[in-house]
Amino acid sequence: MKKLFRGICLSTLMLAGCASNKSSNTMATIESKDAIQKQVETVRKKMISCIAQVNAKDDAKDVNANIIIILPNNPNAKKLLSSTEFITDQQAMELKQFKEETMQCRGIAKEFPKPEMVAVFEYYYSKVDDVYSDLVNKKITIGVANQERQMRLHYTNDKWTEVMKDYQGS
């Protein structure tokens, strides 16, 4: 009878220990998610600020007006999405300069706290670079480039939402 009683007591203690560990792990997970959310918000603010500075430059304004839809309120969006024209040499130089200026903002994405977050942006940038390259090399028209870039943006937003679901505070 003593052995049975000891077994029950030991089992109870072990289960109680597991229960308290689970509670502390849950608390640590919540704190970890909060820390990740704060880091994400900090990096996002840096990216938004950087992108706004780049988009305020003359090269970006020219690219937005005549080549690639950069800003959501672009008055030429419909024309650019349906354009059958190929890029001119002057436009190609402007696009290359714009891309070069965006490089400083791209590096900020590497500051996200999780590799899967960084991967979302690295994938987007690699695909947009392909679009820009095809446009500069006259493999695609301005309209096709804009359509492809828009698709990449939508895909990236969807992937970002998917990745962030795991890190939303509950």
Side-chain angles (χ1 to χ4, degrees), residues 21-49:
N21 284 344
K22 187 170 186 173
S23 176
S24 65
N25 285 343
T26 301
M27 189 61 102
T29 301
I30 290 170
E31 290 173 6
S32 175
K33 285 183 178 184
D34 287 345
I36 289 170
Q37 286 289 74
K38 287 177 184 175
Q39 286 178 301
V40 166
E41 194 55 35
T42 299
V43 175
R44 280 181 34 117
K45 285 178 182 176
K46 284 175 70 173
M47 285 182 73
I48 289 168
S49 175

Side-chain angles (χ1 to χ4, degrees), residues 94-138:
E94 289 173 350
L95 183 60
K96 287 177 185 176
Q97 181 62 35
F98 169 74
K99 179 184 166 193
E100 191 65 32
E101 290 171 358
T102 66
M103 293 309 239
Q104 62 189 348
C105 302
R106 293 178 178 204
I108 295 170
K110 293 181 179 182
E111 296 176 21
F112 280 113
K114 295 290 183 179
E116 56 271 23
M117 294 173 183
V118 173
V120 169
F121 284 94
E122 287 179 343
Y123 182 80
Y124 168 74
Y125 291 133
S126 73
K127 293 303 177 186
V128 166
D129 287 347
D130 292 344
V131 171
Y132 291 169
S133 177
D134 287 349
L135 184 59
V136 167
N137 292 320
K138 300 182 193 246

Side-chain angles (χ1 to χ4, degrees), residues 20-85:
S20 67
N21 284 344
K22 187 170 186 173
S23 176
S24 65
N25 285 343
T26 301
M27 189 61 102
T29 301
I30 290 170
E31 290 173 6
S32 175
K33 285 183 178 184
D34 287 345
I36 289 170
Q37 286 289 74
K38 287 177 184 175
Q39 286 178 301
V40 166
E41 194 55 35
T42 299
V43 175
R44 280 181 34 117
K45 285 178 182 176
K46 284 175 70 173
M47 285 182 73
I48 289 168
S49 175
C50 183
I51 291 167
Q53 289 175 0
V54 169
N55 289 346
K57 295 182 179 181
D58 289 337
D59 285 333
K61 290 177 183 175
D62 289 341
V63 168
N64 185 57
N66 302 306
I67 307 168
I68 295 290
I69 303 165
I70 298 169
L71 302 173
N73 60 350
N74 186 327
N76 299 330
K78 189 173 182 178
K79 177 186 147 207
L80 292 175
L81 283 166
S82 62
S83 176
T84 57
E85 296 177 17

